[in-house]
Amino acid sequence: MNHAPRGGVVLHDARELALMRQAGQIVARTHQALRPHIRPGISTAELDAIALDFIRSQDATPTFLGYRGFPASICTSINDELVHGIPSPTRHLAVGDIISIDVGATYRGWVGDSGWTYAVGPISAAAQQLLDVTEAALWAGIAQARAGNRIGDIAAAMQELVEQAGFSVVREYTSHGVGRQMHEPPSILNYGQPGTGLRLRPGMTFALEPMVQAGDWRTRVDADAWTVRTRDGSLSAHFEHTIAITTADAEILTVC
Ligand code: MG
Ligand code: MG
């Protein structure tokens, strides 16, 4: 059963959450399958093929493939690329790169969505700090994702942590509801005021995904109409989990 309490936000029952848990686990295990291959020399198209094979082996489908015409199963975004990078056979990882890999899988009609930024070999201290702060922002947001809190509490927690570190929260892309579709209401800004916005209820499911830039918050889109990168050329990072609001702590669905 689905019903929408307001603004089209869907509450999921136990049966639906069980299916979303399975979709989420497939996404988490796809990241696990990719992780040992994230090494200097591999091409982003090879990573895409590994993910596609794994997702299909789980009787799931890659949610991104064909989404609004996206030509691959995962997004691979390197260094100043923030999100939506297209895997390519001519794009090879190098020592010191950071690569954001976003994975979506659809299982029996339900979607899991999780992104992670990985280091390729040793990286600079500045890059490591960006990764640490962005991941910490995700966990700070998840800590506020509790029934009775409001969406603004999640947003403010993420923003505060990022800006205290001297980094910028991306304004032009958001966290979002997720369920039967990858993007469902509500859109959740990754910055905002505590105590504002939709009140959280058990059964809501969100993909929380702080996107953080070492420099200015502005982005631009490449001529390929997909790749989003920092306008100032600074590094960017992206961490994302699909979660469910419960009567206690949020349940993270994209773990295994
Ligand atoms: Mg994602
Ligand atoms: Mg997402």
Side-chain angles (χ1 to χ4, degrees):
M1 178 190 71
N2 289 329
H3 61 283
R6 79 177 85 153
V9 180
V10 172
L11 300 182
H12 300 293
D13 64 20
R15 186 191 66 84
E16 295 172 338
L17 288 173
L19 289 165
M20 286 195 70
R21 204 172 283 126
Q22 287 181 280
Q25 285 181 11
I26 292 166
V27 170
R29 284 160 49 211
T30 307
H31 276 281
Q32 239 176 22
L34 287 166
R35 194 179 287 258
H37 298 281
I38 301 170
R39 301 164 67 109
I42 196 165
S43 74
T44 50
E46 288 174 284
L47 294 173
D48 184 58
I50 291 164
L52 176 61
D53 284 350
F54 183 82
I55 291 169
R56 287 190 169 153
S57 78
Q58 304 300 303
D59 297 324
T61 55
T63 312
F64 301 171
L65 185 61
Y67 180 83
R68 297 185 181 178
F70 190 76
S73 299
I74 59 174
C75 300
T76 52
S77 308
I78 300 172
N79 295 335
D80 67 318
E81 298 165 1
L82 173 68
V83 287
H84 305 167
I86 300 172
S88 162
T90 61
R91 195 80 190 277
H92 297 268
L93 300 187
V95 173
D97 283 344
I98 57 173
I99 178 170
S100 300
I101 297 183
D102 201 347
V103 177
T106 304
Y107 178 75
R108 295 174 61 185
W110 295 88
V111 176
D113 183 11
S114 176
W116 219 253
T117 304
Y118 297 96
V120 182
I123 60 174
S124 70
Q128 187 62 55
Q129 191 201 1
L130 179 68
L131 268 52
D132 292 346
V133 166
T134 309
E135 183 179 353
L138 173 60
W139 294 116
I142 290 172
Q144 293 297 320
R146 302 179 66 86
N149 277 6
R150 292 181 183 273
I151 275 181
D153 298 321
I154 298 174
M158 295 194 289
Q159 180 182 16
E160 184 180 342
L161 200 142
V162 169
E163 292 184 351
Q164 277 178 354
F167 299 140
S168 302
V169 177
V170 171
R171 302 287 203 260
E172 293 139 316
Y173 301 89
T174 67
S175 298
H176 53 91
V178 58
R180 285 193 183 276
Q181 305 295 323
M182 179 163 56
H183 292 124
E184 296 187 351
S187 286
I188 303 174
L189 299 175
N190 295 312
Y191 62 97
Q193 295 297 320
T196 63
L198 182 75
R199 193 178 291 282
L200 306 178
R201 295 173 57 179
M204 291 179 175
T205 50
F206 304 127
L208 295 185
E209 49 179 317
M211 289 161 254
V212 176
Q213 304 192 158
D216 185 73
W217 60 266
R218 291 174 181 80
T219 64
R220 65 183 173 85
V221 179
D222 281 3
D224 66 14
W226 281 105
T227 309
V228 179
R229 66 176 74 233
T230 62
R231 201 173 283 189
D232 63 8
S234 65
L235 291 176
S236 58
H238 174 220
F239 287 78
E240 175 183 33
H241 270 312
T242 297
I243 65 158
I245 304 299
T246 75
T247 54
D249 290 340
E251 179 183 354
I252 300 165
L253 301 177
T254 39
V255 291
C256 54

